Amino acid sequence: MERGILCTYTVLGKFFWKYLHAGSFSTFDVYLTGLVSLDHQFHCGHLAHAPSGWAMQVAAFIFIQRKWEDDKSHFEKMLDYFCDIREPLQLLIFPEGTDLTANTKARSNEFAEKNGLQKYEYVLHPRTTGFTFVVERLREGDNLDAIHDITVAYPQNIPQTEKHLLNGNFPKEIHFHVQRYPIETVPTSKEELQLWCRKRWEEKEERLRRFYEGGKKCFSATGQSIIPPCKSELRVLVVKCISLLYWTVFPLGMLALLYLYSFAQWYFAAMIIVFVVQQKIFGGLELIELACHRYFKKQQKIHDMKIKNN
């Protein structure tokens, strides 16, 4: 496991992330100690207060308000925390910030006209403020090895909302293009880093254009799907089946426990109260974890100063 990896996705990959988060981590060997998302669904006023948001709090996800003035300080504290604990870290970020729709595409085109940039058909212009801040902060903390630029494409259909899933509109194939950039090859100045990010999105636009308009609908030049040597079709199929079985049996099992046993009812009620109360008082478990870390770090400094003075 590398020390720190920042993964950037097109928003077309958000659907893939939903699958990944739903229980197929072992398929891709991903270990996330924290997640940064600029997707509006991870808004502090929405998902953080839901049961799924409680699980993300436990995993120290970074919730944002989508206002840089409010988010910068929180970003700074959480990234410093990740650098301090020195745990294997992968941060996932969607620099486009929202889904590709007619409205968002129109806004992206307006931004392009205003700034003398090309208009995109398959991606939106990325928001570089959060991206550059994350890279600079992790680099300062010596906790970033590489940036993985990931482009996701769907040959048959592109499900955009949960409504598509309910209608059975599942993608039969998902294609990935992954490019690894060691941090030594990434520019250091903020201006150059912004240009670097925009350049990656120019490449994504052209890559997706070739994918969807080239006829073969594949990323590789040979038209062959590439499976990493450590993976196999059988392993992926087994993980999919296990994930499907787990997420089918687990909810039914929980409902059975709630129906049959009073202790389960009391436990669930107690957990709901605990999470709601701590959310109201402290703002989230990840903030409690951060506050504890900062307190013990301060105490350690005081202890070290006393030893040094003695």
Side-chain angles (χ1 to χ4, degrees):
M1 175 62 70
E2 297 182 81
R3 181 173 67 250
I5 298 174
L6 176 65
C7 300
T8 65
Y9 277 81
T10 60
V11 172
L12 287 177
K14 186 185 77 172
F15 186 76
F16 154 73
W17 169 244
K18 290 180 180 179
Y19 270 123
L20 181 66
H21 183 65
S24 298
F25 285 95
S26 56
T27 306
F28 303 94
D29 290 338
V30 172
Y31 173 63
L32 295 169
T33 57
L35 179 144
V36 179
S37 174
L38 300 185
D39 183 345
H40 69 280
Q41 290 200 27
F42 293 145
H43 192 285
C44 194
H46 295 85
L47 194 56
H49 300 279
S52 57
W54 299 342
M56 292 178 182
Q57 290 178 25
V58 174
F61 280 39
I62 302 177
F63 295 93
I64 60 174
Q65 297 283 355
R66 293 174 65 83
K67 296 180 181 177
W68 184 242
E69 296 77 13
D70 300 329
D71 293 330
K72 183 178 179 180
S73 176
H74 182 54
F75 257 117
E76 191 173 39
K77 293 175 183 177
M78 291 298 294
L79 293 176
D80 288 347
Y81 167 65
F82 292 141
C83 292
D84 282 346
I85 61 177
R86 312 303 295 178
E87 290 287 338
L89 171 67
Q90 294 186 14
L91 294 177
L92 179 67
I93 186 169
F94 296 85
E96 289 167 303
T98 188
D99 290 337
L100 177 61
T101 64
N103 290 334
T104 57
K105 184 179 176 182
R107 292 201 298 268
S108 180
N109 288 340
E110 289 177 8
F111 174 83
E113 289 182 0
K114 188 180 298 184
N115 293 275
L117 303 172
Q118 72 175 97
K119 295 180 181 180
Y120 290 149
E121 180 69 24
Y122 297 98
V123 296
L124 304 175
H125 280 277
R127 303 178 182 184
T128 58
T129 301
F131 170 79
T132 55
F133 182 82
V134 170
V135 173
E136 289 176 340
R137 203 71 190 179
L138 291 179
R139 182 181 254 154
E140 289 176 6
D142 190 28
N143 199 33
L144 182 59
D145 285 326
I147 297 175
H148 286 177
D149 180 20
I150 303 172
T151 307
V152 187
Y154 305 89
Q156 284 85 20
N157 55 304
I158 304 176
Q160 290 285 85
T161 67
E162 285 74 10
K163 183 179 179 180
H164 290 94
L165 301 185
L166 294 175
N167 292 333
N169 190 16
F170 291 92
K172 295 181 175 62
E173 294 181 20
I174 305 177
H175 290 229
F176 300 90
H177 182 280
V178 183
Q179 179 71 45
R180 183 183 188 276
Y181 296 93
I183 193 60
E184 296 81 12
T185 67
V186 178
T188 54
S189 72
K190 183 176 181 180
E191 292 75 15
E192 290 179 341
L193 193 56
Q194 290 175 333
L195 292 175
W196 184 89
C197 181
R198 293 195 181 107
K199 180 65 177 178
R200 302 289 77 78
W201 253 251
E202 291 179 14
E203 295 171 355
K204 286 178 183 289
E205 170 71 13
E206 182 58 29
R207 189 178 300 128
L208 288 170
R209 184 184 303 279
R210 291 197 303 267
F211 183 94
Y212 287 109
E213 299 178 5
K216 291 184 178 180
K217 290 193 175 181
C218 61
F219 285 130
S220 65
T222 60
Q224 300 292 324
S225 62
I226 302 173
I227 301 176
C230 59
K231 312 296 181 184
S232 69
E233 292 284 4
L234 178 61
R235 177 184 172 184
V236 173
L237 178 62
V238 169
V239 171
K240 287 181 178 178
C241 292
I242 293 175
S243 298
L244 179 62
L245 178 63
Y246 174 81
W247 289 107
T248 302
V249 173
F250 180 76
L252 295 176
M254 292 300 100
L255 290 174
L257 280 176
L258 285 172
Y259 180 75
L260 296 174
Y261 300 102
S262 60
F263 81 89
Q265 298 169 8
W266 283 106
Y267 174 79
F268 272 74
M271 288 299 99
I272 291 173
I273 292 172
V274 167
F275 273 98
V276 170
V277 170
Q278 64 83 21
Q279 178 77 45
K280 293 293 185 181
I281 297 176
F282 302 105
L285 284 176
E286 80 282 5
L287 298 183
I288 298 176
E289 181 178 351
L290 177 62
C292 290
H293 172 77
R294 292 165 68 88
Y295 172 78
F296 288 117
K297 184 178 179 180
K298 182 179 179 180
Q299 293 300 114
Q300 183 64 44
K301 286 184 178 180
I302 294 174
H303 177 71
D304 292 342
M305 287 293 293
K306 288 181 179 179
I307 294 177
K308 184 178 180 180
N309 293 333
N310 292 335

